[in-house]
Structure formats: C-alpha cells, structure tokens
Amino acid sequence: MTFSARISVPGSPTETVTLDRPPYSVGRTPDNAIVLPHPTVSSRHGEFVSLGGAIAFVDRGSRNGTRLNGVPLQPHVPVPLAPGDRLQIGPIVIELAPASAAVAAQPRVRLEVRTPGAAIRETEVAAFPFRIGRVADNDLPLGDPIVSSHHGELRDTARGVVYVDLGSRNGSRINGVPVVPHVETLLHDGDRVRVGDAEIVVHLAATPHARELPSTIPRGIPHEQIATPPRRRGAGRAIAAMTATVVGLCVCACLAGGFTAVLLTTDWTPITAPGGPRSGAGRDGMPQVRIPAGSFTMGSDTGEPDEAPVRVVELPAYSIDRTKVTVEMFSRWAENARVQGAWSRDADPKSPVVGVTYADAENYCKAHGRRLPTEAEWEKAARSDDGRIYPWGNNWDPSRVDFGSFKFSAYPIATFGKVWGPVGANQQGASVYGVLDVAGGPREWVADWYAPYPGAESLGFEVPKERFRVTRGGFRINNYSRDVRTTARGWQSPNEASPDLGFRCAS
C-alpha cells in the first residue's frame, strides 16, 4: 500500500508527503528526503523503509527518540505501519494515511538529447531508474567512447527527479558544473545534463516531491520548500545583484598571448558594503589582503558562455580574506550562534569549512564585521589587473591546485572537510595580491545572484531570476584546467549546504 504522511509542526502549515517508493530518510539536515528542521530532531533521525511489501519506520539511533502511537520505538528495529498510525518526533507529528492514486503517480519526464553532428532526438522516461551510458543495455545508449558503460541514471525520489553519476570515468555536468559521483542531484525543468559530448535537456511536466517544512529556527533567509540533497552540482555559474547599462565601446586587451575584444562597461554597479577597506586581520584572526582601487578585465570570450562578454570593470579599494574561513574559526562562532545543519564540524580545524548555506556564510561574515565578496571582487583578487587565466599566470600547472582526496561516498558531510588540506598550504597557487586557495579546494559563496553578464548573448537556457547564488573557485573532479580558471563561474541554491562549498569574507 502507498501511504501519505501528514506532517504537523507547531506554528507551521501542515504538509503532506507521498511515501510510494521507499526508503525515505527523515532528519534535521538537508541531505534527508524528508527534512524536519527542528532542534529536537537528529541529523539522521529515522527512515521509512520497505518491509515485506509494507511500509515501516526505523529510528536510526536518534538522540531524543521516536514514538509510535505514544510508545517509544526501539532504535534500529523496523516497525510496520498501518493507516492511522502516528509517529511523534519531539513536537512533530507524522500521521499515516492511504495515498490517492493521483498523488502517487510518477512524474512525466521528457529528455531532449543533443549530440554534435546529429539531429536532436527526444525520448520519454517511462520508468525509473532510467540509465544512461555507452552500451546498448542502457535506457539511453549514447555510443560515445568517452562515455562510461553505465555512466549515470535518473531516479524518482521523494524530493523529485534526481540525476546520479555512477562513478563514470570522465564525469557528468549539470548546467556546466561537474557533479559529485554517487550523490543525488535534484533536477529542475530545463536543466542540462552533460554526458560526454551529449547534452541532455530535462523537461519535467509534473514532479511530486517531498517538501521541507518551514523552520522554526531563525536562519536569516527562508528555507526553500523543496527538500534537497546537501549539494546541488547543478550548481552552475553566476552573477547578479548589480545594475548594468552596457555602452558599446570596444577596446583591445592582450590576454593569454593574443588579442581579444573587450566590452568597456561605464555604468556597472557591483554590490558594495558600507565602510572603507580593511587590511591586517579580521576579528576572527583571519589575515586580510588589501586590493587597490582601479579597473580590471572581467570575464572571458573563450570559456563557458556565461563568462562572456569580456569587459573592463572599475572597483573601489577593498580587502578580502587571504584564505577560506576554517573549521576552527567557524566552529567558535557556530557554537555561540547555535547554527543548525551538517557543516564539517568534525574535519581538520585548519581545513576550510564546508557544508554551510549562503545564510550561514553571510551571517558569519556580518558577525565579524565583514561581508561576502561580490563576484567582481572575487575575480579581481584572483586574476589581478592583467587579465591572467590562472591566479599564478597563463600556463596550466596542476601542482599549484588543491584537488583534494575525493572519497565522496565514504564521508558524511560533518567530516567531509577531511578531503581538503589546511588552508594556505599551497603558496604556489597565490594570486598577484597574495590571495590563496582561489584555484582548488572547495568552491566559495559570493554575494551576487546568478544571471548572465550585462550585454551577454543568450546562454541557450532561461536563468531563473534570483534563484541561485554565484559560487567561485573550487575543485573539479578530473583536474580540468578550464574549470579552475579565474573567470569560471558556478551557481548554487542559497539554502543548500554542499560538501564542496565554503566561503571567505571581504570588507
């Protein structure tokens, strides 16, 4: 029998989730299928599972326990459920009822497959999982030699339709950004999955999904309604929160040994913070680097489409953290601020903190008299004013980059920082200004909303307004030299806490 779970949180609207294809994890952190952001709920509190064809619930050794119809459940023992049963987790009540066939119906998914030199083909996903790969036994065989035999697959989950890279040799990308192997990435209508040379555009007609309950814990920004995994590597590229009137004045600038057209922008207003630039150290002991006022060349006409057009941007002087904020620094503040979530509290204290939302990063910076840098400020600090491709120059040198030691399936988010070394360890990767770790290590939140650059041509897909924040820098899973360039852009939903995403502050 398919159940619906009616979830009631004091002071919040009642939500209903369909439990048609277990398992569904239940917990406080955003990597669960059903997210209950309340302090009495453990990070991984329990799970709805299938038991002999029936739905059961198992408490995963939670701190405060679970009650079924008023009786405490024994940890780690699955208990079959029946219509009318009531689970209680702290003040939260989950009541079980039969689900209607209409609610339990699978979503309709259409894929538009584009490969170089071939006509666009369309296919409908009739059943899940829907596997994509090189060989003929896949639901979508591609036949491309750089595609792995079983490269990735679409799954239908309580969150909605997700994509999972199955540990492929050359990786997958969503909206231009590599995904983490074996981790579910929630898909939205219009997302583009890159597998080898094929681009697969995902069209979702109707996607039932689990909903995250409104939080009673102040976080600075509202929670998204869709319960998402801890990372969205359909996290892509970004800029916004800036007004721009582009004046078509072309000048020439020498980049990477050649000449390229530069679009000079005379009325472009990046986000700025009150107060003048700082130098020295922040309140948390973070060393800061002063970036002088002046113009620099921003963007690239030879990178991804959302990096164009190249233009000259004028910025006032500012200061930026020399490295990413560390686990040690963030922990001191998070304990006092009672931060909820699965940030990398158990990792090396000197490693960059990861698994933080945009609000976590923004609030930390504000608490220490700083702010998140804008996208333009981040790029100038990494690139300097001579238009270089990498922080150290124009020649690719992987020894200057921290690619980490990736064992994604082995680490929970609380310990995920263990894949990174201490911040500032690779001095060879420093920018002209002495800013460290801008190529390699985890990505970084910046202040802007994701949008095309002013004067950009169409990116080939519609960018939702003020839906994703920009991320900059960071690692890429296969040492791709293109993706650690100073102009490379990424995006992430601001409420998502990703195990490869940290931050630094500016002032």
Side-chain angles (χ1 to χ4, degrees), residues 56 70 269 339 357 376 390 405 490:
T269 309
V339 173
T357 66
Y390 304 106
S405 54

Side-chain angles (χ1 to χ4, degrees), residues 361-384:
E362 183 180 54
N363 291 337
Y364 176 94
C365 291
K366 287 181 178 178
H368 293 86
R370 308 201 296 281
R371 57 181 172 82
L372 288 173
T374 66
E375 185 173 20
E377 288 172 338
W378 191 99
E379 185 167 322
K380 182 178 180 180
R383 192 180 199 184
S384 78

Side-chain angles (χ1 to χ4, degrees), residues 270-317:
I271 301 173
T272 57
R278 296 159 52 98
S279 59
R283 296 176 186 172
D284 51 2
M286 169 65 76
Q288 288 196 292
V289 176
R290 184 181 177 90
I291 309 299
S295 62
F296 80 106
T297 302
M298 185 171 183
S300 171
D301 287 331
T302 60
E304 297 292 334
D306 63 349
E307 298 171 31
V310 172
R311 63 209 185 282
V312 174
V313 173
E314 186 81 21
L315 290 178

Side-chain angles (χ1 to χ4, degrees), residues 178-252:
V179 304
V180 179
H182 305 296
V183 177
E184 294 179 348
T185 299
L186 184 68
L187 295 174
H188 297 81
D189 185 49
D191 277 350
R192 294 167 180 253
V193 180
R194 173 73 67 170
V195 176
D197 287 334
E199 183 179 70
I200 304 168
V201 183
V202 181
H203 298 282
L204 304 178
T207 311
H209 51 258
R211 297 175 65 86
E212 178 177 343
L213 300 178
S215 174
T216 57
I217 306 167
R219 292 295 300 275
I221 56 176
H223 284 282
E224 281 189 331
Q225 291 300 302
I226 298 176
T228 55
R231 40 166 298 297
R232 169 161 158 70
R233 303 294 305 134
R237 319 292 175 108
I239 188 177
M242 55 182 74
T243 56
T245 303
V246 179
V247 179
L249 175 63
C250 290
V251 298
C252 287

